[in-house]
Each structure stands twice: as C-alpha cells, then as structure tokens.
Amino acid sequence: QVQLAESGGGSVQAGGSLRLTCVTSGYGGINLMGWFRQAPGKEREGVAAIYPISPRGGNTYYADSVKGRFIISRDNANTMYLQLNSLKAEDTAMYTCASGLWREGTWSEAKNYKSWGQGTQVTVSL
C-alpha cells in the first residue's frame, strides 16, 4: 500500500509561483504518478503526470490548461513535485497527488490511480 502526503500549497497573487511536493511511502508496484485538482463546484481534473516510473525518469503529460506554466518532476523514488508558474485565479483548487498503474485510457483518468493523498489548497488572488 502506497501512502502519499502533499505540501506546499498556499495563497499567492496572480502571476506568482508555488511548488507542491508529494512524498510517498510504502510499496505498491506503481508505474504512474500524477497531480489532480478540484475547484469548488467543478469536477476533478488531471493536471500532470509522469509515466513510467523508473530510475531513468519518465515521460511527462500535462493538461492543456497548464501546459507551459506547470512542471512535474521527480527527484528520487519517493518525492514528486509540481512547479506552478504564472498562476491564474482559475488555478485555485485543492491539489492532490496520486499513484497507480496505467492500464487503459488516458493518464488523466482517475481509474488508473489507486492511492491518493489528502490534498493541499492553492488559492490565487487577483
């Protein structure tokens, strides 16, 4: 069982930056890690992901809404980051990291993720 814990959220003005961290523990035979977000009244959406999870790194995937502004990365087997740049008010949401096995569909489909963190709030003001 994999446990995930996020940190790094906060309040920032539009145009600012934040870096979110996701620390994992346990073993789960995963090949996919990603970040999701959910704003009040909206559906959860995939923000970014890394696949496959290997010592040589992996390919990165982004939602169109964050491409060119957010950067997903890993520095070892246990820690993943999401660098949020040029933040907009519409980026305000609860950000959650997740891990799992990509077996079907797209990287952003929740069914490919079996372990989820508790989330960290990002609030962007104008």
Side-chain angles (χ1 to χ4, degrees):
Q1 185 70 26
V2 176
Q3 292 82 42
L4 303 99
E6 306 93 338
S7 62
S11 297
V12 63
Q13 289 189 325
S17 298
L18 286 172
R19 188 172 83 157
L20 307 184
T21 300
C22 175
V23 178
T24 66
S25 60
Y27 175 76
I30 63 172
N31 67 10
L32 173 68
M33 293 187 71
W35 288 94
F36 287 75
R37 68 184 181 185
Q38 187 168 20
K42 295 187 177 181
E43 293 187 357
R44 180 174 55 192
E45 66 168 336
V47 175
I50 295 178
Y51 171 86
I53 302 300
S54 74
R56 292 178 294 176
N59 298 317
T60 57
Y61 302 83
Y62 296 94
D64 288 342
S65 59
V66 306
K67 201 170 293 183
R69 299 189 298 122
F70 291 7
I71 302 171
I72 189 171
S73 63
R74 291 173 63 237
D75 64 359
N76 55 46
N78 299 324
T79 307
M80 178 177 66
Y81 304 97
L82 186 66
Q83 179 69 38
L84 288 63
N85 299 320
S86 302
L87 282 162
K88 305 175 182 179
E90 52 263 44
D91 294 319
T92 295
M94 180 70 75
Y95 286 71
T96 304
C97 63
S99 65
L101 291 170
W102 187 355
R103 290 176 169 156
E104 59 180 340
T106 67
W107 63 268
S108 60
E109 294 183 47
K111 63 184 177 182
N112 290 312
Y113 298 83
K114 58 182 179 180
S115 299
W116 298 79
Q118 295 298 309
T120 186
Q121 178 68 36
V122 172
T123 302
V124 184
S125 59
L126 295 173

